[in-house]
Amino acid sequence: METIKPHIIFENKYQFQIGDVKQNIIHYDFDRILEYLDYKGKLLFGKKFKIYSEDKALIFKLCVYFIQDVSNCKKFNIDPNKGILLSGPVGCGKTSLMKLVKYILPHIKPYEVVPCRNIAFRFNRNGFSTIQQYGDNNYYCFDDLGVEPTGKHYGADCNVMGEILLSRYDLFLKHKIRTHATANLNAQELEQRYGNRVRSRMRQLFNLLAFDKESEDKRE
């Protein structure tokens, strides 16, 4: 039976070795990870994709979180047991980055990136079963948290993502299942959107990582 080598990733005809094994411990190399992410990013998002130098410090934090580098997580005040809430201006690359970084761990079950707007629309069609659906044991990254419309089903309004976050919090407490999200809104705006109770749970659910407020719109 072939030994799993999570530090060696195969893409098409190419092999990317993003770390070395020493005494049965993988020592990841950030420069090699960046090379792989640049290649994978072009596969996912097109040839114009590139990793911006001003984003490398943030990408490094994301990488040490996902590879569970405990010493660097401690250095950056990142709790490896919580999820990630990645915030930043519109167009800075939050969604692309969260879709991309999961590929550095091919041996781990990946999370699904789901737009919050789509979840709200699904609630409008299917009702409260939607909240149950995303309160399950699967791994999700909720994209564009806080700007989704209010859910409406048979005349009943519902703060759909607020209810789902409460369910995800219960999952986190009982089963240590992590949840990720991206948001354009700051902490105060999220609290206005979801209320103090949900905001309090979000502090326990997420590590907050943020792009610089002046980050350029990379979609142009």
Side-chain angles (χ1 to χ4, degrees):
M1 189 174 185
E2 187 176 355
T3 303
I4 296 175
K5 298 178 180 179
H7 63 297
I8 298 176
I9 303 173
F10 294 92
E11 290 286 352
N12 297 327
K13 60 182 178 179
Y14 299 106
Q15 173 181 304
F16 294 87
Q17 183 169 333
I18 60 175
D20 299 293
V21 177
K22 299 175 183 177
Q23 298 180 334
N24 292 322
I25 298 174
I26 299 174
H27 296 264
Y28 287 93
D29 185 300
F30 183 57
D31 289 331
R32 293 189 214 167
I33 290 176
L34 286 179
E35 289 178 10
Y36 170 67
L37 291 178
D38 182 69
Y39 178 83
K40 184 66 174 180
K42 286 178 170 59
L43 287 181
L44 291 175
F45 310 118
K47 293 182 179 179
K48 290 185 178 181
F49 174 85
K50 72 174 183 177
I51 291 175
Y52 291 77
S53 58
E54 61 266 30
D55 295 338
K56 287 183 179 178
L58 176 60
I59 295 172
F60 181 75
K61 292 178 183 179
L62 280 172
C63 288
V64 300
Y65 166 81
F66 279 107
I67 66 174
Q68 297 285 282
D69 181 341
V70 176
S71 61
N72 270 311
C73 281
K74 185 175 181 180
K75 176 182 175 182
F76 294 117
N77 197 29
I78 296 171
D79 185 338
N81 297 309
K82 293 182 180 181
I84 293 290
L85 173 57
L86 184 60
S87 68
V90 173
C92 67
K94 302 181 297 296
T95 304
S96 297
L97 198 49
M98 289 304 289
K99 286 181 177 179
L100 181 59
V101 291
K102 63 181 181 178
Y103 288 100
I104 64 175
L105 298 170
H107 59 300
I108 300 296
K109 181 182 178 180
Y111 52 84
E112 180 185 354
V113 179
V114 187
C116 294
R117 182 180 181 85
N118 292 2
I119 296 175
F121 290 152
R122 191 168 293 139
F123 175 87
N124 294 347
R125 291 194 310 269
N126 302 330
F128 288 89
S129 62
T130 302
I131 295 172
Q132 295 175 338
Q133 176 184 349
Y134 290 102
D136 61 14
N137 291 340
N138 288 321
Y139 294 86
Y140 297 105
C141 174
F142 298 122
D143 190 36
D144 275 343
L145 186 66
V147 296
E148 73 281 353
T150 299
K152 294 179 182 295
H153 186 69
Y154 286 107
D157 288 358
C158 179
N159 192 326
V160 179
M161 289 309 305
E163 293 297 327
I164 289 174
L165 288 173
L166 291 175
S167 295
R168 301 300 298 183
Y169 173 75
D170 290 338
L171 275 175
F172 174 69
L173 289 184
K174 294 176 182 176
H175 305 294
K176 302 303 179 186
I177 294 176
R178 290 177 288 177
T179 302
H180 308 301
T182 73
N184 302 328
L185 307 183
N186 60 34
Q188 290 74 26
E189 291 168 326
L190 286 169
E191 185 166 334
Q192 288 177 354
R193 180 70 174 84
Y194 296 117
N196 182 62
R197 181 175 174 230
V198 174
R199 174 61 185 146
S200 175
R201 302 295 189 271
M202 289 175 67
R203 291 189 187 97
Q204 298 173 69
L205 269 177
F206 298 120
N207 295 285
L208 178 60
L209 295 180
F211 280 86
D212 189 279
K213 292 180 181 178
E214 304 303 320
S215 292
E216 63 181 86
D217 191 334
K218 299 179 177 70
R219 299 173 302 179
E220 296 178 353

